[in-house]
Amino acid sequence: MTSEKPRKPCESRRSDEVEYGPLGPGQEPVKDPMKGLSGVMSGTLIMEAITIFLCLTVILKIQEGALWTTFNWVFVTVMGFAHLIAAFVQRRPGALWLNLGLQVPLIVVGFFIHWSVGAVGIMFAVVWFLVVQMRSDILERQRRGLLTTQHLGT
C-alpha cells in the first residue's frame, strides 16, 4: 500500500510534474518544428510588406492626393522595406520580437497618416498574436512529447 493519498480531481498538479502523451516524452524531433515556424513568420512578413506597399496607392488616391506628403510616403515605404528585410532574418534569435516591434510604429504612426494604414497594422497584429499562440502550442506539445516526429523509429 502506498502512503500517498489519492488526489481529488479538482486539485491542481505541481508545476514540476509534466503530463506526457501516451508514447512518453519521446526524443528530439527528427524535423525541427521551429524551422517550420520561421518559414511561416517569413511568409507572413512578405505578405505584410506587400500590403504595406499597397497602402501607398491609398494615401495617393484618398482626398485627391492631399495625404501624399513626403513624410507619409517615405514612412510607408520604409516600413514596407523593413518588413521585407526582416523576412530574411527569421532564423536568428529575437526575430519574433523584431516582428512584434515592427507592428508598433505601423499602428501608431499609421493612424496619423490614414486610418486604413493603421487598420493594416491592427490586422497583422492579430496575425502575429496567432503566430505567438502557435509557437507556444508547438513548444508545449514538444515538451509533453506529443509531436509525431518525436516518436519516429521507436
Side-chain angles (χ1 to χ4, degrees):
M1 208 155 179
T2 61
S3 62
E4 290 183 34
K5 55 183 186 173
R7 258 187 297 166
K8 294 178 185 173
C10 64
E11 287 182 22
S12 63
R13 294 178 181 216
R14 291 188 342 226
S15 63
D16 58 344
E17 287 184 29
V18 177
E19 183 180 332
Y20 293 113
L23 297 175
Q27 54 200 3
E28 278 297 310
V30 176
K31 293 183 179 180
D32 185 13
M34 290 302 124
K35 285 186 181 179
L37 186 66
S38 68
V40 168
M41 293 191 304
S42 181
T44 302
L45 282 170
I46 294 292
M47 288 189 293
E48 189 170 3
I50 292 169
T51 308
I52 291 170
F53 284 132
L54 287 173
C55 288
L56 286 171
T57 60
V58 171
I59 63 174
L60 176 63
K61 299 292 182 180
I62 295 292
Q63 299 174 359
E64 299 172 2
L67 299 175
W68 190 258
T69 63
T70 304
F71 174 79
N72 289 354
W73 70 261
V74 167
F75 175 78
V76 173
T77 305
V78 166
M79 287 303 294
F81 278 116
H83 281 76
L84 196 63
I85 292 168
F88 294 100
V89 296
Q90 291 306 298
R91 297 237 173 136
R92 298 190 186 247
L96 185 60
W97 289 107
L98 170 68
N99 302 340
L100 296 175
L102 283 173
Q103 302 310 305
V104 175
L106 182 62
I107 293 170
V108 173
V109 179
F111 272 113
F112 286 109
I113 293 174
H114 190 261
W115 67 266
S116 60
V117 179
V120 166
I122 287 178
M123 285 188 293
F124 275 99
V126 170
V127 171
W128 286 110
F129 172 75
L130 295 173
V131 168
V132 169
Q133 289 291 100
M134 186 170 46
R135 180 182 182 274
S136 171
D137 185 49
I138 289 171
L139 291 174
E140 177 63 23
R141 290 173 58 88
Q142 185 175 4
R143 186 178 67 82
R144 293 178 54 202
L146 296 174
L147 297 178
T148 304
T149 59
Q150 287 179 291
H151 300 288
L152 293 178
T154 57

